[in-house]
Amino acid sequence: MGLISSVGSKAMRPPIPATYDISPTGNFTDGWLPHEHFEERCGCPIVLSWSDSLQKFSDRKEKAALLDFELLRRETNAKEEIAILRVFWRKKIDEQKRPTLIYSKGNSFDLGILRFHCLQLAMILECDVIAYDYTGYGISKVSPNVMSTLSDAETVFQYAKSVSQNLIL
């Protein structure tokens, strides 16, 4: 475990300071809302190609209006606090069971940067998306480490099971 911890500590580089904060009401403090800010990249360098059905701005706007989000703080099994973002559909599309995608992000982003990408994933794949900050990223006040990251993933999986009865990817 010594080698993993050593390598992990050098690979984990969270943005400092965090690019977002959570209000007491569970929103981003900058007022971001999926149906109003679906075209704003928030500094996200990841941009997917829109599918044929979403080429027009009006189609993306219509689809974004069907999305909502939940932003929350959650204590992990390791007793650390992380942020979780869930982008979800208010209604079922074609009454199909929609899968939930757990998105474990890269090491140099936090949820403030990746919220745009989560919207893109939800709109293009027509799935619910759960993304989270690892311990040491975003609202977390401690240094990142590999063991906490594993605990973070388990916590997020348990959360996903509590909000989705469908397939979790």
Side-chain angles (χ1 to χ4, degrees):
M1 201 54 153
L3 178 60
I4 291 173
S5 294
S6 177
V7 170
S9 68
K10 290 170 182 42
M12 300 174 128
R13 297 285 181 231
I16 298 174
T19 63
Y20 72 98
D21 200 2
I22 303 174
S23 75
T25 58
N27 292 303
F28 287 97
T29 54
D30 65 3
W32 180 88
L33 297 168
H35 60 280
E36 292 179 8
H37 303 103
F38 63 93
E39 291 285 315
E40 294 176 20
R41 291 183 49 196
C42 306
C44 183
I46 305 167
V47 180
L48 303 174
S49 296
W50 291 110
S51 62
D52 290 341
S53 64
L54 294 172
Q55 286 299 318
K56 294 189 300 191
F57 175 84
S58 59
D59 294 337
R60 291 192 299 275
K61 184 175 183 177
E62 182 179 319
K63 208 164 217 186
L66 300 174
L67 292 170
D68 207 346
F69 79 100
E70 178 179 42
L71 179 64
L72 58 121
R73 298 171 187 265
R74 184 63 59 119
E75 185 176 287
T76 69
N77 301 333
K79 306 295 183 213
E80 301 295 345
E81 186 177 63
I82 60 170
I84 299 174
L85 171 64
R86 179 171 72 111
V87 176
F88 61 95
W89 293 86
R90 294 181 203 176
K91 296 195 263 184
K92 301 240 183 278
I93 293 178
D94 300 328
E95 296 305 314
Q96 296 174 349
K97 289 187 175 183
R98 180 173 293 104
T100 297
L101 172 69
I102 297 176
Y103 182 56
S104 296
K105 61 185 182 52
N107 71 348
S108 60
F109 307 116
D110 67 14
L111 291 179
I113 296 171
L114 288 180
R115 53 192 162 173
F116 168 78
H117 187 52
C118 292
L119 279 178
Q120 278 195 311
L121 288 171
M123 290 169 65
I124 292 170
L125 300 176
E126 295 189 353
C127 67
D128 294 346
V129 176
I130 296 175
Y132 61 102
D133 271 338
Y134 309 125
T135 297
Y137 288 71
I139 63 166
S140 178
K141 304 297 183 212
V142 299
S143 295
N145 65 76
V146 174
M147 293 311 293
S148 291
T149 301
L150 298 174
S151 177
D152 301 342
E154 177 61 30
T155 299
V156 171
F157 180 67
Q158 294 305 319
Y159 167 73
K161 290 193 318 188
S162 76
V163 297
S164 177
Q165 289 74 47
N166 299 330
L167 177 67
I168 298 172
L169 305 169

